[in-house]
Amino acid sequence: MPEDTVVDTAVTWPSPQEAGTRVREMQIKLHRWAAADRGRRFDDVFNFVSDPATLVVALQRVAGNAGARTAGVDGVTAAHVSLAGPEVFLDHVRSLLKTGTFRPLPVREKMIPKTGGKLRRLGIPTITDRVVQAALKLVLEPIFEADFRPCSYGFRPNRRAHDAIAEIHHLATAGYRWVLDADIEACFDRIDHPALMDRVRARLKDKRVLALVKAFLKAGIMTELGERNETTSGTPQGGILSPLLANIALSVLDEFFAEQWAAMGTGNQRRQRRDKGLATWQLVRYADDFLVLVHGNEYHVEDLREQVSTVLATMGLRLSPTKTRIAHLADGVDFLGFRIVWQRKRGTNKWHVYTFIADKPVQALKRKIKSLTRRLSHLSYRETLVKINYIQRGWANYFKHAVAKHTFSHLQNFIWWRVINWVMRRNRMTWRAIQRWLRTPQGWQPIAFDGVELFKIAKVPVTRYRYRGSKIPNPWQPTTTSPAPTA
């Protein structure tokens, strides 16, 4: 065995707390070096990937994920790893990495229904592959985060969908009301591997890390019929590393618009452009969903559509001709479950930008409640209320920053009647019996079973989400206090 592949079998595995501290210190250094030198290509980062502290944190994140109970093609879950012993498992993983014998297995295909009857393919890697992907992500993310642009919000630390919506609201209020509502056709399935690897190589020289990234891209898919398909393009959704790789690929779009925004100059210079009949525009992207907001006219958006198509083509991607459209905010745009509309305030002549809840999420919530309250449901009343409450709280927490009071009240009424009718059918109760159960001289009592009370979504306070602009910090640098850019 060559000297550089000798494995240290006497590894002392750190505790999760110690490992977390070491990994964070490593990430801070990588991010600082990447931010200080935008042209730096990192070498010898493989040792960080295979470091015991990195692997401990990676396993901890994989085991703590909701998908830990789901097995890959080898049938192993996080529970099996726990029974065998985490250190035994990590010794094996580290040995494979250090000897260069690690080879990812094909991901297990799982087709997930989408609205409209279509299916989305998810790829479920093995637990071993997930741990190695998580280790890679811990090392690569702080490097590439130094290059990612502020207009990108999806699958990035400390950033969320609400920041993207707040950015759209900020721009629309400033006059950016023509929109290119774009949809990338099968984005995760069609990313060009050579083009993606070229962007990864722009920051990495370490051949062992590059080989690992390429191996995951080429791992293949085991279909639900048991057939193995090669992956010549794309990065299957479901892998821990896939969102980061997709952001690296789509950052070509961010960079294109960032360069154009910089060329438009200062706020005063942008106003002068608009006075001359020229347009200004800005991109807001969340993973593969994005809008281009334009302060100009419809023909400016049409021209931008062609430019976007050209940029995406360099990554093997294209816009969906049926789903990509040009719209004005007076007609409304749906984005990340919200509907953003520029409309007149009732009773006045003033126009404002409003963020409502779109129809699709409301219908999706109703379908979930209906599925839990079918007549043939075998769940107990208590279990059903627990599930309904869990769904309601998560849904309300996501949408509570929209103009949501009316929708929350409507949903509370819908859910109350759905549960009441379910109880009546299941127990063959009459309406008079329901009144005796819940009606008192003081009024209607909450629906409750075995100490679990039906959650009242209408009582969730609706608050405005604070626009953070350029003040969003990443985990590896102090919070910035620079003002948000003017439109």
Side-chain angles (χ1 to χ4, degrees), residues 343-357:
Q343 66 181 35
R344 183 176 59 84
K345 184 178 180 180
R346 187 178 300 175
T348 72
N349 290 323
K350 295 181 179 180
W351 287 64
H352 300 279
V353 179
Y354 294 93
T355 303
F356 300 99
I357 303 174

Side-chain angles (χ1 to χ4, degrees), residues 16 72 341:
V341 185

Side-chain angles (χ1 to χ4, degrees), residues 205-368:
K205 283 197 299 185
D206 194 317
K207 292 183 179 179
R208 292 172 294 181
V209 173
L210 291 170
L212 281 176
V213 174
K214 187 174 182 180
F216 280 117
L217 292 175
K218 301 294 185 183
I221 297 173
M222 189 67 70
T223 69
E224 293 181 328
L225 299 177
E227 301 173 350
R228 173 164 180 174
N229 292 337
E230 300 298 323
T231 46
T232 56
S233 64
T235 169
Q237 288 179 273
I240 294 173
L241 199 59
S242 294
L244 176 60
L245 294 178
N247 270 334
I248 293 172
L250 292 173
S251 62
V252 66
L253 195 63
D254 306 342
E255 292 167 3
F256 171 77
F257 279 99
E259 289 170 3
Q260 291 193 329
W261 182 259
M264 295 175 199
T266 63
N268 285 332
Q269 290 171 325
R270 286 191 287 273
R271 281 189 287 272
Q272 290 172 8
R273 276 179 58 91
R274 294 192 289 264
D275 290 341
K276 296 176 182 178
L278 301 175
T280 56
W281 52 87
Q282 181 65 286
L283 170 74
V284 179
R285 182 175 69 82
Y286 189 94
D288 58 330
D289 295 325
F290 67 91
L291 301 178
V292 182
L293 290 97
V294 180
H295 197 313
N297 296 306
E298 186 175 2
Y299 64 85
H300 293 131
V301 191
E302 189 63 53
D303 182 55
L304 283 170
R305 179 175 182 162
E306 298 303 317
Q307 295 181 46
V308 168
S309 296
T310 302
V311 173
L312 289 176
T314 63
M315 298 305 302
L317 302 171
R318 66 175 185 175
L319 294 174
S320 169
T322 57
K323 294 183 180 179
T324 300
R325 68 189 186 100
I326 295 173
H328 194 278
L329 283 182
D331 300 318
V333 170
D334 288 357
F335 191 63
L336 303 179
F338 295 90
R339 182 160 186 81
I340 304 153
V341 185
W342 183 58
Q343 66 181 35
R344 183 176 59 84
K345 184 178 180 180
R346 187 178 300 175
T348 72
N349 290 323
K350 295 181 179 180
W351 287 64
H352 300 279
V353 179
Y354 294 93
T355 303
F356 300 99
I357 303 174
D359 291 335
K360 284 185 178 180
V362 174
Q363 297 305 318
L365 177 65
K366 288 183 176 181
R367 285 195 298 270
K368 290 180 181 179

